[in-house]
Every structure is written in structure tokens, then in C-alpha cells.
């Protein structure tokens, strides 16, 4: 599903949508080695390395806090990657506006502002008993990113599906 390389480090998620985050030691290019894995709820759809940290955009269907996730991982020790923060949003049926080939255009990390922007759409079920009871939601989710923590700031709603986000 997703592979990212950062110097002598590699990160993999397969397309099975239920497997761990795999970490790779690429010090010897002729002999890459899987050195760690992290089992977590849901799966990652896209990853962005940031030195000893890894940011991930993914899904955790069925999570009452929301089905879309932004996660922060500590990968300072490839043998023992750990999730240090995660936020969920997007309602019970969240979706992202791009496919695997263009998802990097959606996941906007503004490090100087300590902010992550994620366009999304979704459906928020208001009643567990009535499947049709709910409302459509969507826009751009703002996620604060500072001091190894992710926090939902709020969302800027949109009419129609937002596809990109930027500071104006």
C-alpha cells in the first residue's frame, strides 16, 4: 500500500489493510532487512518520514472517534517503532479525496506553523439504532503538530468535496 525511504531506513505497509507498520534497515542495499514491526488499529494509507519521527495518514474503520487517522510514530529505534500520538476524524464513513497515486498532495504538513491539513469528506451517524440518522460532513481538518503530540484543532467546512488545502 505504501513504502517510504529515508536514507538507510525504510517503512512499509502492505495492501492487506490489517497489517503492521514494518521498519527496514537499508544500510546494506544488497541485503535489506526487516528489523521491526508495529501492530496498530487500522492501517496507514500514506507515510511521511521526518528523521526519528514518521507521520502517517490512514483509516481505522469502526472507531467511534472517526474513521480517518493521522498518526505520529517514534522510529528512532527501528527494532521497536512506537505510536506516540493519533487523532481520528471524518465520522463513521470518512474518505480522502485522492487515490494512492496522488494522496501525497492531500496530506499537507506545514512544519513552520506546527500544522497538518487534511481535506476529507465523511458521514457522521447520529443514532446507533437508525442507520440513516446522520449527516454529511467534510472540508479540511486542521491538526496541531507540536512537542510529539497531535491535537485536533477543528475543521474548515466546505460546500462540495475539498481536494487540497493551503494557508491563505
Amino acid at each position: 500500500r505504501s513504502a517510504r525511504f529515508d536514507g538507510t531506513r525504510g517503512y512499509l505497509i502492505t495492501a492487506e489493510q490489517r497489517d503492521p507498520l514494518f521498519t527496514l534497515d537499508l544500510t546494506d542495499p544488497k541485503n535489506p532487512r526487516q528489523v521491526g514491526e508495529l501492530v496498530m488499529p487500522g492501517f496507514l494509507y500514506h507515510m511521511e518520514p521526518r528523521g526519528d519521527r514518521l507521520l502517517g495518514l490512514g483509516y481505522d474503520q469502526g472507531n467511534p472517534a472517526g474513521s480517518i487517522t493521522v498518526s505520529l510514530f517514534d522510529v528512532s529505534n527501528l527494532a521497536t517503532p512506537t505510536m506516540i500520538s493519533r487523532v481520528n476524524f471524518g465520522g463513521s464513513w470518512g474518505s480522502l479525496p485522492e487515490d494512492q497515486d496522488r494522496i501525497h498532495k492531500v496530506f499537507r504538513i506545514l512544519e513552520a506553523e506546527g500544522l497538518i491539513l487534511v481535506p476529507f469528506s465523511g458521514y457522521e451517524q447520529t443514532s446507533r439504532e437508525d442507520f440513516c440518522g446522520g449527516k454529511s460532513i467534510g472540508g479540511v481538518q486542521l491538526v496541531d503538530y507540536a512537542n510529539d503530540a497531535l491535537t485536533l484543532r477543528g475543521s474548515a467546512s466546505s460546500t462540495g468535496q475539498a481536494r487540497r488545502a493551503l494557508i491563505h
Side-chain angles (χ1 to χ4, degrees), residues 100-114:
Q100 197 68 46
D101 293 333
R102 290 176 289 277
I103 195 64
H104 63 283
K105 296 179 179 185
V106 171
F107 193 51
R108 184 104 171 158
I109 303 166
L110 305 171
E111 297 200 48
E113 290 83 5

Side-chain angles (χ1 to χ4, degrees), residues 2 6 12-13 24 29 34 36-37 56 79 81 90 107 123 125-126 130 145 154 158 163 166:
S2 182
D6 188 22
L12 294 174
I13 296 291
L24 306 172
Q34 179 196 333
E37 64 182 67
F107 193 51
Y123 184 78
Q125 196 171 342
T126 55
D130 180 11
Y145 169 39
S158 68
R163 300 186 65 82
L166 53 99

Side-chain angles (χ1 to χ4, degrees), residues 40-62:
M40 65 189 132
F43 66 96
L44 297 180
Y45 193 62
H46 178 71
M47 299 175 286
E48 287 287 334
R50 295 291 189 267
D52 284 343
R53 299 296 183 255
L54 180 71
L55 286 161
L57 177 63
Y59 291 98
D60 185 7
Q61 298 293 353

Side-chain angles (χ1 to χ4, degrees), residues 57-121:
L57 177 63
Y59 291 98
D60 185 7
Q61 298 293 353
N63 188 313
S67 58
I68 300 173
T69 65
V70 174
S71 306
L72 177 63
F73 302 93
D74 179 346
V75 290
S76 57
N77 182 346
L78 285 179
T80 58
T82 58
M83 183 187 314
I84 53 179
S85 188
R86 176 178 266 186
V87 293
N88 293 66
F89 60 93
S92 48
W93 294 91
S95 67
L96 299 167
E98 291 294 353
D99 63 16
Q100 197 68 46
D101 293 333
R102 290 176 289 277
I103 195 64
H104 63 283
K105 296 179 179 185
V106 171
F107 193 51
R108 184 104 171 158
I109 303 166
L110 305 171
E111 297 200 48
E113 290 83 5
L115 189 61
I116 298 171
L117 306 174
V118 183
F120 76 99
S121 61

Side-chain angles (χ1 to χ4, degrees), residues 150-163:
L150 300 171
T151 308
L152 294 176
R153 181 186 295 186
S155 64
S157 61
S158 68
T159 302
Q161 185 176 33
R163 300 186 65 82

